Amino acid sequence: MSFPSEKELERVRKKLKKSQGFLMLSPDADELQRFRFRICQALLKYAQQNKLNSLEMARFLEITKADMSRIFNHRITRFSTDKLIKLYAKAHPEYRLSAA
């Protein structure tokens, strides 16, 4: 197997520039950011445990597939914390929010 040509590498670089992958939690994230990140993780885990793809999970939560993808990739700036909690509660109806 030979190394890809410069033309092929440039094509791949161009494609990757447009892609948005999974966002990681910043090491200096505050508690609210950590909470929101954990909600995304829990929704992803729910989908995996129930063998739901992103479209099926989106239908279950009654949101668009694009929004489901944003949540799965932790690109959640457009979602309020209330919205994320409501989505989590759909997947976990036994959930009760309490403050200490």
Side-chain angles (χ1 to χ4, degrees), residues 32 35-40 42-43 61 71 76 79-99:
L32 181 58
F35 176 67
R36 291 165 54 85
F37 187 87
R38 285 192 304 266
I39 291 173
C40 294
L43 290 171
L61 295 176
I71 291 169
I76 53 172
F79 298 98
S80 69
T81 302
D82 288 351
K83 177 69 174 178
L84 291 172
I85 290 170
K86 288 176 185 175
L87 294 173
Y88 179 86
K90 283 185 179 182
H92 300 279
E94 73 287 353
Y95 172 74
R96 298 292 174 257
L97 180 63
S98 62

Side-chain angles (χ1 to χ4, degrees), residues 4-62:
S5 68
E6 190 59 39
K7 185 177 179 180
E8 177 65 12
L9 289 172
E10 188 57 35
R11 184 189 70 76
V12 171
R13 285 185 196 112
K14 231 180 207 182
K15 188 175 181 180
L16 287 174
K17 271 186 180 180
K18 297 177 186 176
S19 70
Q20 292 187 356
F22 181 88
L23 284 181
M24 297 300 295
L25 187 63
S26 170
D28 60 340
D30 63 27
E31 190 54 38
L32 181 58
Q33 291 169 322
R34 292 177 189 281
F35 176 67
R36 291 165 54 85
F37 187 87
R38 285 192 304 266
I39 291 173
C40 294
Q41 293 283 70
L43 290 171
L44 180 57
K45 183 178 179 181
Y46 178 89
Q48 289 172 337
Q49 288 175 336
N50 291 281
K51 297 178 176 45
L52 300 173
N53 64 35
S54 59
L55 180 58
E56 293 165 333
M57 187 69 175
R59 286 182 179 150
F60 171 71
L61 295 176
E62 299 174 336

